[in-house]
Each structure stands twice: as C-alpha cells, then as structure tokens.
Amino acid sequence: MRGTGLSYAAAVSLGASPIYYFGTEEQKQKYLVPITTGETLAAFGLTEPNAGSDAGGTRTTAVLEGDEYVINGEKTWITNASYSRTVTVTAVSGKDPKGKNIISAFIVPTNTQGLTINSNYEKMGVRASNTCEIILDNVRVPKENLLGDPDKGFKQFLFTLDGGRISIAALAVGIAQAAFDRALAFSKERIQFGKTISNFQAIQFKLADMAMEIELARNMVYKAAWLKDNKKPFAKEAAYAKLFASETAFRASNQAIQIHGGSGYMREYEVERYLRDAKLLEIGEGTSEIQRLVIARQLGC
C-alpha cells in the first residue's frame, strides 16, 4: 500500500497540480482531464544526477527553435513515468538580466521522439512504486507546451513541492501508525519472564513516545492541509509536517523492530519493511536537511 500511496500522491501533488495551477485552459483539457478521469498517471521531472537538493542546478536545457522547444537532458528518480502519458519537466530556457538561469516547465508527452524512459532501479523500499530515469535527446515539443510563466518556472515548482510535502507527511503518518499498531499488538502477545512485555516500563515508554509523536505529526499534517485548502500561506507548515512526520515514521518503525526483537528483523513480521519504506520519506520531496533550511528561511534567518 505504501507504493500505491506514493504513486497516487506523486500523480496528484506533483504530476497534476502544476497543470491545474499554472496551465492554460487548453492544457487542462488536453492533459489534466485524462489524469483526473483515471485514464493515466502523471509524472513530474525535476531531479537530475547533479540537481537534487540544489534544484537551481538544473542542467536540462530547452531552446526555442521556431514554434518548438528542443529539450536535452536527463532526469532521475521520477515516479510514475512508465505509466504516464505526459511528464512535466523543468529545464533551463535562458538567462535573466543578472545572468542567472531561467528555469521553465514543459509538458512532454511520453511518446515523443527522443524521449527514453528506463525503470531499472533496485530500491531499498517502496518497491511497488514505479521509479524511472528519463533521457531527453533533442526532444521537440510545441511552444504551447510551455507551462505557466516562463520566467517563474522555479517559483512554480517550489509551490508544487510545498503541496507535495503535505502528501508525503500524510504517507509518513500512515507508516508510523502501522508500525505502532503492530508493535502494540505484539507487546500484548509476547511473554517474557512470565508476563507480556507490554507490562515492562521500558516497552511502555517506547509505545508512549510513539503514540505521542504520531498524534503530533497527524495534527501538523491537518494544519498544513487546512492552510493550503483555505489559500493561506503554508510553506513553513508543510515543511514542519514533512520533516516531523517523516522522522517520526522512521523512529516509530525502528522502535517497532526493537519491540519485536529478533522477530522484527524477519520479513515475516513486516515491521522491517516499514523502516525501509519510511527512509525514503526523509529523502524524497526535499531531504530533512532541506526542510530545516526552508523552515529557517521562513523564520527570516
């Protein structure tokens, strides 16, 4: 279910959202409607081999030739690309007056000549979610496929990422809750020294900390989502939610393994899988380190 949840979150918050927020009516009818009706998934191509946390370091380029943009570059770790009719990619389209790169977004149909999608990654966790490498070799798209303001592509995808962080935080809460539920149930069944281990204070404290952190993470997700739904500033709260929930998921999964003891290390009990899946959430949609930078900047540091 974690893989399904991640694929759905990526399709909605990353793939569909940029078209919804920044697309023209024609783009919405052509590319967004098939996503919303379930005919296809959607993908968002931002990350590159040398542009992960440093998204401003994008090296993919888009050059306008006549009525078409010619796109060259490579994208990595892109969710859903194998099952999407389109992928929205970011590319350097020019320079601003200060000589800095202008990063724009483009809607690229996945059947376009010169576009290659590979899905050969061997991942630690969330294996059910499709993760791809995208190679763009002289890919030509009509200039009408430019998404939003060409000079504000960077701000547009930052806004997209802010929303995506809420969905990742929600996924993290789900993993944390599942790990807690299994740990609590196991603690009430496992007998040591003549009584269930749930009677031992060491185990009780672990469970209490897990329950408290999960509830706090859940409330932070609700708050960030409420702010976004009500069109209020939410960037800081989205970073709070993503950071705290993802780290909570990892801690809860780790403690669930500890409570299970040797059994927790075995795949049969599944808690080891929660830990592997949770780790991705501390990395994707902006690492924990990036979330702390985002928060600090929102605080005016």
Side-chain angles (χ1 to χ4, degrees), residues 12-26:
V12 175
S13 63
L14 295 182
S17 289
I19 303 173
Y20 173 77
Y21 285 113
F22 310 114
T24 64
E25 185 59 32
E26 290 76 16

Side-chain angles (χ1 to χ4, degrees), residues 27-56:
Q27 288 172 337
K28 291 177 182 179
Q29 290 299 320
K30 186 174 182 179
Y31 301 114
L32 184 59
V33 170
I35 298 169
T36 58
T37 56
E39 297 174 45
T40 180
L41 292 176
F44 183 65
L46 171 63
T47 304
E48 299 182 1
N50 294 298
S53 296
D54 178 19

Side-chain angles (χ1 to χ4, degrees), residues 34 37 43 60-61 92 101 124 129 135 176 192 211 258 266 285 300:
T37 56
T60 297
T61 59
V92 176
N101 287 338
M124 173 180 173
S129 178
I135 299 172
Q192 291 289 278
Q258 194 69 22
M266 302 296 122
E285 291 272 3

Side-chain angles (χ1 to χ4, degrees), residues 138-276:
N138 288 322
V139 170
R140 291 180 174 270
V141 297
K143 64 180 182 181
E144 291 80 13
N145 284 33
L146 175 68
L147 183 61
D149 188 327
D151 296 332
K152 296 181 179 179
F154 193 82
K155 289 183 178 179
Q156 289 173 183
F157 71 67
L158 289 181
F159 179 83
T160 299
L161 290 175
D162 284 340
R165 285 164 184 158
I166 300 174
S167 64
I168 294 297
L171 281 168
V173 170
I175 291 176
Q177 186 68 56
F180 170 78
D181 290 344
R182 292 214 173 225
L184 179 62
F186 184 85
S187 74
K188 292 179 179 180
E189 297 171 356
R190 175 67 167 168
I191 296 175
Q192 291 289 278
F193 305 102
K195 53 186 175 181
T196 62
I197 62 173
S198 63
N199 285 283
F200 298 124
Q201 191 178 70
I203 302 300
Q204 292 172 350
F205 281 8
K206 290 181 186 297
L207 292 168
D209 285 344
M210 291 163 71
M212 174 185 66
E213 290 191 1
I214 292 167
E215 185 66 14
L216 292 171
R218 180 178 288 111
N219 284 325
M220 193 67 249
V221 172
Y222 287 158
K223 180 179 181 180
W226 182 88
L227 289 170
K228 184 176 187 294
D229 283 348
N230 286 275
K231 297 179 171 55
K232 298 177 182 290
F234 67 95
K236 180 178 64 184
E237 287 76 13
Y240 282 160
K242 197 273 185 184
L243 173 62
F244 187 72
S246 62
E247 294 192 348
T248 291
F250 188 85
R251 285 192 294 268
S253 300
N254 194 38
Q255 289 289 37
I257 293 173
Q258 194 69 22
I259 290 170
H260 278 74
S263 297
Y265 202 68
M266 302 296 122
R267 289 193 173 185
E268 176 186 356
Y269 288 81
E270 288 199 15
V271 286
E272 58 82 30
R273 181 181 173 187
Y274 295 146
L275 184 73
R276 290 187 286 108

